[in-house]
Every structure is written in C-alpha cells, then in structure tokens.
Amino acid sequence: MAVSLFYFFVYPGLLFMAVTGGLLSWYDRKITARVQFRKGPPLLQPFWDFLKLMLVKETILPRQGSRFVFLLAPVLALFGATMAGLFILLPLFNIETGFKGDIIVIFYLLTLPSFSYIIGSLASGNPIAAVGASREMKLIISYELTFLLVVAAVIMKSGQEFDLNSIIAVQQADKPFIGSISGVLLFIAGLFCIQAKLGLVPFDMSEAEAELASGIYIEYSGPPYAMIRLAKYIMLFILPAFIVALLMNGMTGGIGVLWLILKILALVLLVTLIRNTNPRLKIKQASSFFLIWMNLLVIIAIVLNAFGL
Amino acid sequence: MHSDYKTKIVGFKDFVFRKSLWVFHFGGASCNNCDIEILDCLTPRHDLERFGIMLVGSIRHADVLLVNGSINMRDRDRLLELYDQAPKPLLVVAIGACGCTGGIFAEGITFAGPVDKIIPVDAYIPGCPPKPEAIIAGVARLAGRKT
Ligand code: SF4
C-alpha cells in the first residue's frame, strides 16, 4: 500500500512527472524561441506559471452550465495523465508491475485528458468553447484509430505480448523495433499521433488562440487552469516516454539512463520543430491526414512486418 | 483610481505573480499606432517572453490588461465588462497619450476616458505612440525588475 502510494505521488508519479514535464515544457519553449531568434523564457518559467495560477489567481465559475462538472474535468484530466504516466514509467524504469495487458489500460487512460477537456468546456456553456470541443472530438476520432493501429502493430512485432515489460524485454533481447523499415513507418505515425494528442500546432485547432481565443480552455482560470497546465506538462513527458518504450527499447541499465534522457529530449525536439515549422490545419485536413494517409502508412508497416522487414 | 494590488498580494504570491505576467490587449478607439508598437514588443528583436510575459487569447487567463487608444462611450462598456470578467488580481496598464490622458481626443464629443476614470490603473506609459523600449521598461518595472 505504502509503496503504491509512493509510486503514485512521488516517484515515478505525480511529483516526478510534474517536475520533469515542467522542465520539458521549458525546453519546448526555449527551442521555439531559438527557432525564432529570440532569447526565450528562464528555466523555471513553467513552474512560476503553475504556481501563479494555483496560488494567486481567482477562480471564476460559469453562471450557466454545470459548475460541478466544470470543476471535475481538470481533476479527471490530471488523474488520467498521472495514472497513464505511472503505467508507462514503471516498466520503462524496469520496475516489475506484474500487470499483464497494461498496454490497453494505458491506451484508454491516455484519452482521458482530451475527453475531460471536452466535458469541461461543454459544461462551461460558452459557445466558443463548444466549437473548440467539437473540433477536439473530431480530432480524437481521427487520430485514435491510427494510434490503436500503431499499438497493435507493436504488439504483433513483439510476438503477441500485451504488457510493456515484455515488449521492452523483447526489444532489449534482440534489437529495438525502430531498427527495421516497418518500425520507422510506425515511428512516423506515432510521432504525429502524439503531436495531435498534445494539441500542438498543426493539430491545435481546438485551442486556436487566433480564432477561438484558447477554445476549450477559454473559461478556465486560476487553480482549475493550473491543473490543466500540469496535465499538459505531464503529457509532454509521458507520450514521448511511451514511444520510447514501444519502439526504442526503453532503458537499459547503467549508462542507459543517459540514453533514455537523450531519446526523450530528441523526441520532444522533433515535436517542437514540427510545431514551429507548420501552419494550423483545418479539421477536415487533419481528419483526412490521419484517416487516410497515416492509417495507410501503419497498414503498410503491418504488412511489411508480416514479411519480416 | 488605483487598484488595491499592493495591499492584498504580498510575499511569495507577489513574487510568483510578477514572474509570470500574462497579457491581454484591449485596443480602444486607437489610431492603431499603439497596437502596432505593442505587437512589436513580442517580436524576436524585443522578446517579452524572457520576462515570462505571454500574450493570451482569453481574458480569463490574463494578469495584465493593456489598454491603449482613446476610450469612447462604446468602448467604455466593453472595457468595464472585460475588467469584470477578468480573474483578480489584475494589473491594468494604460498605454499612449490616449490611454493616459486622452491625448488629442480628450475634448472629442464621444470621449469617455481617460482609462483611469473607468477602471483602476497601475501603470502609465506615455508617448504617442510610446517606443517599444518604453513599453518594455514599463512592463519590466511592473514585473519588479530594475530598469
Ligand atoms: S497615443 Fe498616439 S499613437 Fe497611440 S493611439 Fe493615441 S494617437 Fe494613436
């Protein structure tokens, strides 16, 4: 019991993920600034943002709409992100969980933040938030199938293993999945999926600060918004970690910790560069991008995998 | 009018608040010159993000309300509504001669300002338009830095 609580709240749970995610968020903003020839924010900026929202700002509740659901949504989002992170990080740090089939639980928990943003923004009763929510819904429908196919392909590659521990073990015994043609295709599709899950630029139409003025987050202020920010920091950490576990052989002992850090930094760098060099897509374009092209890519990868490539 | 920020927010809260000021921009009946200069502050050359300052799209996320341009009778209602919608504590900055005093529009028949007659103002940045450097100096002083 005590060990589980420690896992959940401290390491590798809430506290560890929040700190790492905050640092990664700074890294993301700093890279963005360097790409635009700016100086960028100081190291602790994400934490100041969080603390300010949490401690100083006032919470405003919508007069119309459901206040309870409005306040519950950020808590659910944070819970989903932390729980998914826990299931991803424990196998990644080679801590045995003994939980067969956790990859399916992770898959569902990872959608919880997006779903709770939709519920919360619809509960606020703001028409602009409703537009954002409907866009987010369409986006989820588009990328979720691709993401599921990527996970399924990884399961096939590992020889029908349904838990992350075994998937990582299979890769460490042989070679990382990304070292084959089908693995590279899966990596590309997975990268775009996490871009959409994080709501970063080509796929940020639900937030779209230029047209929707923060869209689904428009009514949130103070501590609930701080929780949403925290959930976003955590997602920025655990989604690349998930890709590392699925395709890039997780963490080996000793010097492997350094490799793990480098892999995650490289993935976040890729995500940041994609977001800085692309314009926002329309929701229709994003849907056809995922439903046609990315699905095609993953299916090709699955076929190639059947031929052992 | 002055806001009661100084008496209410002290110590660590004051410190984190000043570290992370998110800005919302309200343009009144401006000649559009001040708006351009404000946007200029966010360009790579001046880069306000190094002070932790960000431009936000929703007033619910704002910590600083930048008001520029002369406030006429229609703008007054909008400005009051925005001020009521913002989560407190909120700092208000009046930018340009129009925002501070009314400037050349002060005697116009539709003029309803200046800003500090309508909502409490924490900082004034005069100029017509103020240079981006002047705006940065004003905002950095708000953020508690020596300039
Ligand atoms: S202060 Fe000058 S530059 Fe600014 S809005 Fe007024 S007239 Fe235009």
Side-chain angles (χ1 to χ4, degrees), chain B residues 29-35 37 68-70 95-99 102-105 127-130:
Chain B
S30 158
C31 78
N32 224 307
N33 224 334
C34 283
D35 306 72
E37 298 298 330
N68 72 287
S70 84
I95 288 185
C98 290
I104 53 171
F105 303 110
C128 183

Side-chain angles (χ1 to χ4, degrees), chain A residues 16-52:
Chain A
F16 173 73
M17 282 191 268
V19 172
T20 324
L23 291 176
L24 277 177
S25 168
W26 168 80
Y27 174 73
D28 166 64
R29 282 170 73 174
K30 188 81 179 175
I31 299 281
T32 308
R34 295 313 303 168
V35 169
Q36 299 166 349
F37 301 106
R38 291 190 284 121
K39 198 158 164 282
L43 177 63
L44 292 178
Q45 191 58 46
F47 303 107
W48 300 141
D49 288 350
F50 172 76
L51 285 174
K52 173 203 69 180

Side-chain angles (χ1 to χ4, degrees), chain A residues 10 14 31 36 49 56 101 123 147-148 153 157 168 191 203 220 230 254 269 298 302:
Chain A
V10 186
L14 195 56
I31 299 281
Q36 299 166 349
D49 288 350
V56 188
F147 198 54
L148 189 62
K157 272 173 111 47
I168 293 172
L191 191 68
F203 310 111
Y220 281 102
L230 193 62
L269 178 67
V298 182
I302 292 177

